[in-house]
């Protein structure tokens, strides 16, 4: 009898424990321990999150779902990981944390010395990713840049923005547009995020702004105010400022289909499973007609819609009958109809007498009246829609664009309707997204004539910024070059402006250079042809078009490649038209770190030589396959332009070249292109060649080889000394470097290192 009891106990224990342990993997099932806490302070804690052991999802030693309730505060605070305060957790897959603001402050010591205090912030969560739709990256300051890093699809991800201002009167409350405040959107799927901020000139020229600050933040909770610029170090230290940031969470490491085949599948009865497009894992959701926690056994229970008249449309409460996952409305005996508010129950008894003619007359009159009301309402609605579209057309710069294009060929630009683009993109279906960035989303679309196009849908901007949008359209309308992505038309009737381009199917030069498989296809001759194509475009913009156009954001990300690897230059949003009587323009500095002309950054005077410098960086990318800015490299090598010039100066060019393109047949051409790149990267614009000279030199190198570019080495030595003495490393051009006094030896083939 005792043996029989032990056997029965063993069977019961195995039956209870089997759902929780499978091999070495802990399989979180749906029954929670009776001692599990469901709240901490004012925050609810739904499973798969929990505090006590056995109360949270735990697999592969992942503790990201384990919380700690810190009751030393009043009310207690819910803590995740390394002291991250959790503000809210939702079963819709969102986790809101309180993230500290990072800052970079400058102040004078009692001895008059300039002191610097830096505070960076990071969220070390590999499982969860920052939400791109609910957050935005912000930097505040008058000589400030923010650098945001993380991991996306297993690879490092970088982005940032910069802001400047010389006078408080230039700054407006609520306007985060690059003057005192800048903000950019973030992509999906970025985890392990770090935010740091720095100042260009230690706030020496903006005494009213002693600190730079930066942070990712929930969009709905942030508004910029002019007074933010005057906050000092004491303010940040004493207030311990934190702002809400929303992260996306999911469970598992596989898609729904793969997870369903294993016993550790988390979605329980009456649930649906959803794959995460940009992240690893999946999410569970109760089916329609059910509510509760989809990760718990019997967590999704039927909603009795008949108990609440707001959740059903039955004519009377007694006509409502609840069923699993929904409800039905039934008429009582002796009546017919659907028993709903729109189709009520009608008695089956017939009237003894029906005055047919009277009824028909009344019915006809009612129908005529209804038709009249409908037609009037329809016409009024059409007028309102037309009025709204005209208003949006004006706000998006339509009148300004018509004015600027007046007198030109009518076919130069097509104006599309909202319906045209909605139909082309299947109502902006996410499946058709082919690009996403800080200025908006790019969709693939198919027009009625089967022409495939790329549709750029900008983020919603201040109507005052419509001039920048019109500028891009105006610039592109003046360009007729086979190596420029062709602008087909635009739509200005929507809340945000849309541009329609020809579709380029082979991605960007940046993607081809920095993806190993794609890079192996780019031979030296293909890279040389791409360089020549881009040089021809810039020469065309600088010399052929009147007025002259300066691109201002030349980089490998803005060079598309078609099926035959022909280069197509794109993104003219930052470009400027230069009047005939001006050789340079005083502008707010725009561009991308690592590509910005250092002379332009210092003086704010934009010239065609600024494009030459940026093109020089692209040449170095083609030679080395290295990124223009990389935190993975040492401080002296962080900036690719300075790293390249240092190697050239030391006679060790071979150390930095992409080994895939170096062979006996390419050495001479590579050295000539490297010398040309060195000339483009001269600190002073006057010492650089023009783009027309660069194009001619590349054509000569490509066709039959040429003598190396005739650089002024003495001037190069002077530039290096100016860079070392005048600019300490931040971004483009002005990166610090330990260049020694030996000049690069042009007679030594590529150098072998020493």
């Amino acid at each position: 009898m005792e043996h029989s009891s032990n056997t029965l106990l063993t069977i019961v224990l195995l039956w209870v424990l089997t759902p929780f342990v499978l091999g070495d993997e802990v399989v979180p099932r749906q029954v929670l321990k009776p001692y599990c806490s469901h709240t901490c302070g004012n925050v609810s804690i739904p499973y798969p999150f929990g505090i006590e052991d056995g109360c949270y999802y735990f697999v592969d030693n992942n503790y990201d779902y384990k919380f700690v309730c810190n009751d030393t505060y009043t009310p207690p605070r819910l803590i995740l990981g390394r002291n991250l305060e959790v503000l809210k957790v939702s079963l819709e897959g969102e986790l809101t944390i309180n993230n500290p603001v990072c800052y970079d402050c400058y102040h004078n010591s009692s001895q008059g010395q300039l002191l610097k205090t830096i505070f960076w912030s990071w969220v070390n969560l590999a499982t969860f990713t920052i939400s791109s739709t609910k957050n935005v990256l912000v930097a505040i300051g008058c000589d400030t840049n923010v650098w945001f890093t993380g991991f996306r699809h297993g690879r490092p991800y970088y982005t940032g923005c910069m802001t400047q201002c010389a006078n408080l009167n230039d700054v407006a409350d609520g306007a985060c547009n690059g003057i005192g405040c800048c903000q950019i959107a973030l992509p999906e799927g970025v985890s392990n995020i770090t935010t740091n901020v720095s100042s260009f000139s230690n706030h020496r020229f903006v005494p009213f702004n002693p600190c730079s600050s930066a942070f990712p933040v929930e969009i709905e909770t942030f508004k910029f105010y002019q007074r933010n610029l005057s906050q000092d170090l004491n303010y940040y230290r004493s207030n311990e400022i934190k702002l809400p940031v929303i992260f996306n969470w999911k469970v598992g490491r596989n898609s729904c289909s793969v997870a369903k085949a294993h016993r550790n599948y988390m979605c329980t009865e009456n649930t649906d499973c959803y794959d995460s497009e940009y992240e690893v894992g999946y999410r569970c959701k109760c089916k329609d007609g059910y509510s509760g926690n989809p990760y718990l056994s019997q967590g999704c229970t039927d909603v009795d819609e008949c108990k609440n008249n707001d959740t059903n449309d039955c004519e009377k409460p007694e006509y409502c009958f609840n069923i699993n996952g929904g409800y039905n409305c039934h008429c009582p005996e002796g009546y017919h109809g659907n028993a709903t508010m729109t189709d009520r129950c009608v008695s089956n008894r017939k009237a003894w007498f029906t005055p047919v003619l009277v009824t028909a007359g009344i019915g006809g009159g009612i129908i005529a009246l209804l038709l009249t009301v409908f037609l009037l309402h329809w016409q009024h609605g059409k007028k309102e829609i037309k009025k709204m579209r005209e208003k949006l057309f004006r706000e998006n710069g339509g009148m300004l664009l018509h004015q600027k294009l007046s007198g030109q060929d009518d076919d130069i630009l097509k104006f599309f309707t909202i319906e045209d683009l909605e139909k082309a993109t299947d109502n902006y279906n996410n499946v058709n997204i082919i690009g996403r960035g800080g200025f908006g989303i790019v969709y693939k679309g198919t027009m009625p004539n089967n022409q495939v196009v790329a549709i750029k849908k900008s983020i919603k901007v201040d109507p005052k910024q419509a001039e920048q949008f019109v500028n891009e359209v105006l610039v592109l309308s003046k360009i007729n070059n086979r190596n420029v992505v062709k602008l087909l038309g635009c739509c200005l009737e929507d809340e945000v402006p849309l541009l329609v381009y020809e579709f380029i199917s082979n991605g960007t030069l940046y993607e081809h250079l920095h993806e190993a498989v794609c890079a192996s296809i780019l031979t030296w001759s293909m890279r040389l042809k791409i360089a020549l194509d881009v040089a021809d475009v810039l020469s065309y913009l600088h010399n052929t078009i009147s007025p002259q156009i300066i691109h201002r954001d030349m980089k490998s990300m803005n060079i598309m490649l078609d099926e035959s690897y022909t280069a197509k230059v794109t993104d003219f949003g930052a470009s400027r038209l230069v009047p005939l009587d001006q050789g340079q323009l005083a502008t707010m500095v725009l561009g991308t770190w690592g590509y910005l002309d250092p002379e332009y950054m210092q003086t704010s005077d934009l010239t065609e030589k600024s494009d030459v410098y940026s093109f020089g960086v692209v040449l170095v990318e083609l030679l080395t396959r290295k990124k223009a800015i990389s935190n993975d490299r040492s401080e002296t090598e962080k900036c690719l332009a300075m790293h390249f010039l240092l190697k050239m100066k030391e006679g060790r060019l071979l150390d930095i070249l992409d080994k895939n393109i170096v062979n006996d047949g390419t050495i001479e051409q590579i050295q000539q292109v490297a010398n040309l790149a060195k000339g483009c990267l001269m600190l002073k614009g006057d010492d650089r060649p023009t783009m027309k000279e660069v194009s001619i030199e590349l054509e000569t190198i490509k066709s039959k080889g040429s003598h190396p570019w005739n650089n002024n080495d003495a001037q190069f030595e002077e530039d290096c000394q100016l860079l070392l003495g005048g600019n300490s490393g931040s971004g483009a051009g002005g990166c610090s470097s330990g260049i020694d006094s030996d000049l690069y030896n042009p007679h030594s083939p590529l150098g072998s290192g020493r």
Side-chain angles (χ1 to χ4, degrees):
M1 187 70 181
E2 182 180 350
H3 174 74
S4 176
S5 298
N6 290 337
T7 302
L8 179 61
L9 179 60
T10 302
I11 292 172
V12 171
L13 286 173
L14 286 173
W15 178 79
V16 172
L17 294 176
T18 297
F20 290 90
V21 181
L22 181 61
D24 294 330
E25 182 183 64
V26 178
V27 180
R29 278 308 186 199
Q30 304 87 349
V31 180
L32 296 183
K33 301 292 185 180
Y35 51 74
C36 292
S37 301
H38 299 293
T39 60
C40 174
N42 300 323
V43 184
S44 298
I45 309 171
Y47 186 81
F49 295 90
I51 295 176
E52 298 84 3
D53 290 343
C55 299
Y56 55 86
Y57 174 69
F58 181 79
V59 64
D60 295 335
N61 291 320
N62 183 351
Y63 287 90
D64 282 347
Y65 301 86
K66 174 179 173 60
F67 290 151
V68 173
C69 190
N70 188 338
D71 56 8
T72 60
Y73 295 93
T74 303
R77 293 183 183 178
L78 190 62
I79 304 299
L80 171 64
R82 297 184 177 180
N83 204 31
L84 294 173
E85 181 185 358
V86 179
L87 302 178
K88 182 181 179 182
V89 186
S90 74
L91 286 172
E92 285 70 38
E94 291 185 351
L95 176 77
T96 305
I97 68 168
N98 218 9
N99 191 48
V101 170
C102 69
Y103 53 84
D104 180 23
C105 294
Y106 294 82
H107 56 97
N108 290 321
S109 68
S110 57
Q111 290 79 26
Q113 296 176 321
L114 183 65
L115 301 179
K116 175 179 179 180
T117 302
I118 302 176
F119 178 77
W120 292 358
S121 72
W122 64 90
V123 180
N124 189 24
L125 295 176
T127 305
F128 309 140
T129 59
I130 192 165
S131 171
S132 68
T133 57
K134 300 293 183 69
N135 301 299
V136 67
L137 179 65
V138 175
I140 295 175
C142 282
D143 59 351
T144 299
N145 62 70
V146 58
W147 190 241
F148 176 91
T149 64
F151 285 87
R152 188 170 188 258
H153 302 163
R155 299 188 299 272
Y157 172 83
Y158 313 93
T159 190
C161 67
M162 60 184 180
T163 171
Q164 289 187 325
C165 53
N167 193 306
L168 270 177
N169 294 329
D170 298 334
V171 183
D173 286 349
C176 197
N177 54 12
I179 303 177
C181 175
C182 68
Q183 66 179 44
I184 60 170
L186 297 170
E188 290 284 359
V190 180
S191 60
N192 282 337
I193 65 168
T194 300
T195 309
N196 61 65
V197 64
S198 62
S199 166
F200 302 133
S201 59
N202 301 349
H203 294 268
R204 287 176 297 180
F205 306 114
V206 282
F208 56 84
N209 172 224
C211 292
S212 296
S213 62
F215 42 86
V217 63
E218 181 184 358
I219 297 174
E220 299 298 328
T221 63
F222 170 72
K223 183 177 180 181
F224 169 68
Y225 293 97
Q226 185 190 78
R227 63 175 179 269
N228 297 146
L229 296 172
S230 61
Q231 293 164 350
D232 58 12
L233 178 60
N234 291 332
Y235 173 82
Y236 288 104
R237 281 180 170 173
S238 59
N239 289 282
E240 191 185 1
I241 302 172
K242 295 183 179 181
L243 296 172
V245 182
I246 298 178
F247 282 77
N248 296 325
W249 65 267
K250 67 283 175 192
V251 294
R253 293 288 180 183
N254 299 305
S255 64
C256 292
S257 57
V258 174
K260 285 178 182 177
H262 295 80
R263 292 188 61 184
N264 61 343
Y265 180 55
M266 292 285 292
C267 298
T268 56
E269 188 178 1
N270 300 321
T271 64
D272 291 319
C273 185
Y274 296 89
D275 287 324
S276 182
E277 184 176 357
Y278 299 99
E279 308 158 29
V280 176
Y282 60 92
R283 295 189 180 98
C284 307
K285 183 181 178 182
C286 291
K287 290 182 176 179
D288 291 342
Y290 293 86
S291 66
N293 190 324
Y295 301 97
L296 294 175
S297 178
Q298 300 177 351
C300 291
T301 57
D302 176 56
V303 175
D304 189 349
E305 291 86 357
C306 295
K307 287 185 177 180
N308 187 346
N309 292 335
D310 294 334
T311 57
N312 72 77
D313 65 342
C314 294
E315 181 182 351
K316 295 181 179 180
E318 57 267 29
Y319 294 173
C320 183
F321 298 88
N322 187 65
I323 59 174
N324 283 336
Y327 66 95
N328 288 327
C329 302
H330 293 294
C331 291
E333 187 176 353
Y335 289 81
H336 67 273
N338 288 331
T340 64
M341 299 300 293
T342 55
D343 189 1
R344 297 175 180 269
C345 296
V346 179
S347 174
N348 293 333
R349 291 175 296 178
K350 296 182 179 179
W352 290 102
F353 174 74
T354 304
V356 177
L357 295 177
V358 175
T359 302
I362 294 173
I366 292 174
I367 291 173
L369 178 62
L370 291 175
L371 284 174
T372 302
V373 171
F374 172 76
L375 288 172
L376 291 173
H377 180 73
W378 180 68
Q379 289 180 346
H380 177 73
K382 285 186 66 177
K383 288 181 181 178
E384 288 299 313
I385 292 173
K386 183 180 179 182
K387 203 177 292 183
M388 176 60 70
R389 290 187 177 183
E390 288 175 351
K391 178 175 178 288
L392 292 171
F393 185 83
R394 290 192 300 272
E395 290 179 353
N396 288 327
M399 301 304 294
L400 179 62
L401 185 59
H402 264 302
Q403 180 183 350
K404 300 234 180 202
L405 290 175
S406 63
Q408 300 188 31
D409 187 352
D410 292 339
D411 296 331
I412 194 171
L413 192 70
K414 181 174 181 180
F415 288 88
F416 293 92
T417 66
I418 295 175
E419 290 78 13
D420 291 336
L421 303 190
E422 286 179 345
K423 186 175 180 181
T425 59
D426 190 18
N427 204 23
Y428 301 107
N429 193 315
N430 287 342
V431 175
N432 292 319
I433 294 177
I434 56 175
R436 195 188 293 265
F439 294 103
I441 302 175
V442 181
Y443 293 85
K444 180 180 179 181
T446 304
M447 306 308 288
N449 61 356
N450 292 324
Q451 180 185 13
V452 181
V453 297
I455 300 170
K456 177 181 175 183
K457 188 173 187 179
S458 305
I459 59 174
K460 192 169 183 179
V461 296
D462 190 319
K464 296 178 182 177
Q465 294 177 318
E467 187 173 353
Q468 183 175 339
F469 167 76
V470 171
N471 177 66
E472 181 172 3
V473 176
L474 191 63
V475 168
L476 287 171
S477 69
K478 292 180 176 294
I479 298 174
N480 182 20
N481 188 291
R482 70 183 186 89
N483 292 116
V484 173
V485 177
K486 184 175 178 60
L487 176 66
L488 304 177
C490 63
C491 175
L492 306 178
E493 299 176 351
D494 207 345
E495 288 187 357
V496 294
L498 299 102
L499 292 176
V500 182
Y501 297 90
E502 65 172 318
F503 179 71
I504 308 298
S505 62
N506 208 11
T508 67
L509 175 60
Y510 179 90
E511 294 166 344
H512 281 268
L513 285 175
H514 302 301
E515 291 285 348
V517 176
C518 296
S520 64
I521 300 173
L522 284 181
T523 63
W524 168 245
S525 60
M526 293 168 69
R527 298 186 196 191
L528 190 55
K529 180 181 180 298
I530 290 169
L532 180 57
D533 286 344
V534 177
D536 286 344
V537 169
L538 293 176
S539 177
Y540 166 82
L541 297 177
H542 293 176
N543 301 290
T544 306
I545 295 179
S546 180
Q548 178 190 53
I549 295 174
I550 299 176
H551 188 281
R552 199 158 55 155
D553 196 18
M554 176 49 54
K555 57 185 177 182
S556 56
M557 290 182 186
N558 287 340
I559 300 171
M560 307 291 293
L561 300 177
D562 65 11
E563 295 85 349
S564 61
Y565 290 88
T566 297
K568 302 265 190 177
V569 176
T570 186
D571 200 344
F572 286 78
S575 301
R576 290 299 302 267
L577 300 172
V578 182
L580 293 175
D581 58 344
Q582 289 184 239
Q584 63 185 28
L585 288 173
T587 69
M588 184 177 69
V589 176
L590 289 180
T592 303
W593 294 353
Y595 298 88
L596 270 171
D597 171 12
E599 187 176 53
Y600 172 40
M601 287 185 66
Q602 291 179 354
T603 65
S604 297
D605 290 336
L606 179 68
T607 71
E608 65 179 65
K609 295 297 183 72
S610 300
D611 279 351
V612 176
Y613 184 92
S614 302
F615 178 75
V617 179
V618 174
L619 280 181
V620 178
E621 283 187 274
L622 288 166
L623 289 167
T624 65
R625 258 196 72 216
K626 295 182 184 297
K627 296 179 180 179
I629 291 288
S630 176
N631 283 336
D632 293 337
R633 299 194 291 261
S634 67
E635 188 63 29
T636 57
E637 300 176 357
K638 179 178 179 181
C639 173
L640 178 59
M642 289 307 303
H643 183 35
F644 168 77
L645 293 175
L646 175 62
K647 291 298 182 184
M648 287 282 287
K649 181 170 166 45
E650 293 175 345
R652 299 173 60 184
L653 178 60
L654 188 60
D655 293 353
I656 197 175
L657 292 177
D658 178 9
K659 300 301 186 290
N660 293 326
I661 61 172
V662 178
N663 57 60
D664 292 341
T666 62
I667 284 178
E668 184 178 356
Q669 284 188 330
I670 288 174
Q671 183 169 344
Q672 293 168 357
V673 173
N675 282 331
L676 180 58
K678 187 179 83 170
C680 294
L681 295 176
M682 285 293 181
L683 181 62
K684 295 180 180 179
D686 291 341
D687 298 328
R688 301 170 200 153
T690 64
M691 282 312 306
K692 184 173 183 180
E693 292 169 334
V694 172
S695 176
I696 293 172
E697 181 68 15
L698 284 171
E699 180 63 46
T700 304
I701 294 172
K702 179 176 178 292
S703 60
K704 58 183 178 181
S706 76
H707 297 294
W709 184 263
N710 183 21
N711 283 311
N712 184 341
D713 282 342
Q715 183 61 49
F716 175 61
E717 171 71 9
E718 179 185 341
D719 286 353
C720 293
Q721 295 302 324
L722 283 171
L723 283 170
L724 285 170
N727 289 323
S728 58
S730 58
C735 300
S736 63
S737 172
I739 299 177
D740 58 31
S741 60
D742 295 329
L743 289 175
Y744 166 68
N745 181 4
H747 304 294
S748 172
L750 299 187
S752 58
R754 55 188 184 190

